Amino acid sequence: MNILITGGAGFIGSHVVRQLVNKYPNYNIFNLDALTYAGNLENLKDIESATNYTFLKADITDEQAINSLFSKYKFEGVIHLAAESHVDRSIKEPLAFAKTNILGTMVLLNAFKNLWQNNWEGKRFYHISTDEVYGSLGATGLFTETTSYNPNSPYSASKASSDHFVRAYGETFGMPYVISNCSNNYGPNHFPEKLIPLFINNIINNKALPVYGDGLFTRDWLYVIDHARAIDLAFHKGKNGETYNIGGFNEWTNIDLIKLLCTLMDDKLGREKGASEKLITYVKDRPGHDLRYAIDATKINKELGWSPSVTFKEGLEKTINWYLDNKEWLNNVTSGNYKEYYKSQYN
Ligand code: NAD
Ligand code: TYD
């Protein structure tokens, strides 16, 4: 079976590629990635020479390149993760998000449809999406699979749009698909523009920790390897035409999470208790900042038997250890263009 994974050089994608390459020697796993600032083949060093793994450098918005790869390799399954993924960047450059997340998804859907529309048996298009499509919760309630879409950022609006196109291809062309909407991930290989890896990097370097607004925004955090396990399960056992919400049952306000991170980092770095907390700096809020996300993951738990395998404290410790053991990775991704991004976002 030829399986295409898009965005496999990124944070979540690299964990999905590794899991599938190691677990399914009988599949040919193709990792298609444009290697944007967020894509990094260093993430896959350990499996790059596996005989069931092939890397394809291509842009999902390049219709010609995508069509020719689909006709060459006849992918029977697609697990689509490639995207522009950072909310702050979507505020600065919304069009880039529309292009990759909407148009790029459509190019893939079209290539898949053109290849298999008379022979859907055993085929599947699995679209990886986010809980952010549902918008913002108040103090109570959880997102379920039937919560209506109400995206507030250009990122979440572009993901919502791509979800709709996947569903539309299912309804209109009979394409077998699955969609999952997951909460905030954290773990190794996370690009240090998102909260947890950015703050780990800043603590290591004794730099200010920029907390947006009052810090009382709430996110539901899931360890990335548990997301990869859920993706493996939903790809193989999920029902066609279904959506699965994936979450950590693990809500934290940003400020509480940051304080926990500071305490764990002080310990690991042998710093005086309270040293890292002194780096906390409240800064101007993000426009359109969603107050709270929280996932009800009952459906995937009941139907597919999935639940998170690590506690938040275990996951955070593993994550911190990974960054401390992989300073070269961190230095490589924070040199060059990262410096300019950081200046324009935080100065
Ligand atoms: P990421 O930014 O770390 O990685 C994205 C990958 O896509 C990179 O390797 C990049 O090079 C590639 N890419 C970007 N544009 C491309 C293009 N035009 N053509 C080909 N490749 C391209 O993102 P991530 O955090 O790993 O997220 C992966 C997916 O999971 C995304 O679809 C995202 O919306 C979704 N998601 C992420 C989270 C999270 O917390 N990070 C939560 C839920 C869902
Ligand atoms: P982020 O990691 O960007 O994920 P998302 O916006 O997709 O949930 O941000 C997580 C939370 O942390 C969010 O409420 C915004 C906040 N945040 C900060 O307070 N400071 C920062 O520098 C960043 C990047 C995020």
Side-chain angles (χ1 to χ4, degrees):
M1 194 168 180
N2 285 354
I3 311 280
L4 175 69
I5 301 179
T6 69
F11 167 47
I12 302 171
S14 61
H15 290 280
V16 174
V17 167
R18 176 174 301 100
Q19 187 157 144
L20 269 61
V21 164
N22 288 334
K23 194 166 161 190
Y24 302 102
N26 55 327
Y27 290 174
N28 297 311
I29 304 291
F30 294 83
N31 168 18
L32 185 153
D33 200 296
L35 300 181
T36 68
Y37 78 93
N40 186 351
L41 290 176
E42 289 289 312
N43 295 345
L44 292 164
K45 269 259 164 279
D46 55 322
I47 55 108
E48 69 184 3
S49 52
T51 51
N52 63 339
Y53 172 73
T54 306
F55 175 67
L56 304 170
K57 185 169 187 305
D59 187 322
I60 56 168
T61 66
D62 181 345
E63 199 177 350
Q64 221 182 351
I66 295 299
N67 286 342
S68 80
L69 289 170
F70 272 74
S71 56
K72 179 166 180 195
Y73 294 110
K74 311 236 173 327
F75 306 117
E76 292 143 299
V78 176
I79 305 180
H80 174 37
L81 296 107
E84 288 293 340
S85 67
H86 189 39
V87 173
D88 292 327
R89 288 186 193 254
S90 82
I91 295 166
K92 290 199 153 71
E93 268 191 278
L95 282 180
F97 283 67
K99 188 174 177 208
T100 292
N101 299 358
I102 307 175
L103 194 67
T105 301
M106 291 189 68
V107 167
L108 292 169
L109 287 168
N110 234 28
F112 196 60
K113 168 183 86 70
N114 291 342
L115 189 61
W116 299 117
Q117 62 188 334
N118 298 318
N119 180 20
W120 285 126
E121 185 63 33
K123 314 301 184 308
R124 168 158 282 184
F125 190 102
Y126 181 5
H127 179 61
I128 309 301
S129 192
T130 164
D131 61 355
E132 304 190 25
V133 298
Y134 299 123
S136 184
L137 291 164
T140 58
L142 298 170
F143 298 133
T144 71
E145 288 79 0
T146 56
T147 302
S148 51
Y149 277 32
N150 200 14
N152 293 315
S153 73
Y155 164 64
S156 54
S158 67
K159 291 297 291 187
S161 174
S162 62
D163 292 11
H164 291 321
F165 275 109
V166 174
R167 215 168 265 127
Y169 271 64
E171 291 298 319
T172 308
F173 304 112
M175 185 191 76
Y177 73 91
V178 172
I179 298 174
S180 58
N181 296 80
C182 189
S183 63
N184 287 60
N185 285 215
Y186 70 97
N189 310 94
H190 205 181
F191 192 80
E193 62 184 352
K194 309 275 168 57
L195 180 74
I196 290 180
L198 182 102
F199 278 38
I200 290 175
N201 186 40
N202 284 14
I203 292 171
I204 292 173
N205 293 301
N206 263 310
K207 276 173 72 177
L209 303 176
V211 179
Y212 295 162
D214 59 9
L216 294 176
F217 301 86
T218 299
R219 299 290 183 264
D220 167 3
W221 294 94
L222 177 68
Y223 192 54
V224 65
I225 289 168
D226 280 328
H227 188 191
R229 286 176 46 243
I231 290 173
D232 178 11
L233 255 183
F235 180 66
H236 288 98
K237 305 237 166 79
K239 283 197 206 114
N240 279 333
E242 292 285 329
T243 287
Y244 295 91
N245 277 359
I246 304 169
F249 302 101
N250 179 40
E251 285 185 55
W252 287 78
T253 61
N254 292 341
I255 194 65
D256 285 347
L257 186 162
I258 290 159
K259 286 184 176 163
L260 172 63
L261 192 62
C262 287
T263 305
L264 294 172
M265 292 288 290
D266 282 344
D267 194 38
K268 295 272 177 222
L269 295 169
R271 286 185 189 162
E272 189 187 313
K273 218 163 171 260
S276 299
E277 269 196 32
K278 292 196 185 120
L279 299 169
I280 291 176
T281 311
Y282 289 89
V283 300
K284 200 164 103 205
D285 203 0
R286 171 190 280 171
H289 197 168
D290 287 332
L291 178 65
R292 177 171 165 257
Y293 305 141
I295 280 276
D296 180 350
T298 307
K299 178 174 169 181
I300 190 165
N301 174 259
K302 290 249 157 70
E303 287 187 15
L304 306 183
W306 175 87
S307 58
S309 69
V310 294
T311 65
F312 191 45
K313 188 147 180 287
E314 284 164 355
L316 260 190
E317 294 226 359
K318 282 176 194 271
T319 305
I320 293 168
N321 289 341
W322 187 85
Y323 282 93
L324 293 176
D325 292 344
N326 289 276
K327 290 231 177 82
E328 201 184 324
W329 183 96
L330 203 46
N331 289 339
N332 287 345
V333 301
T334 53
S335 56
N337 291 344
Y338 181 80
K339 292 203 174 99
E340 271 140 54
Y341 166 75
Y342 202 91
K343 231 197 241 163
S344 83
Q345 179 63 24
Y346 294 103
N347 276 3

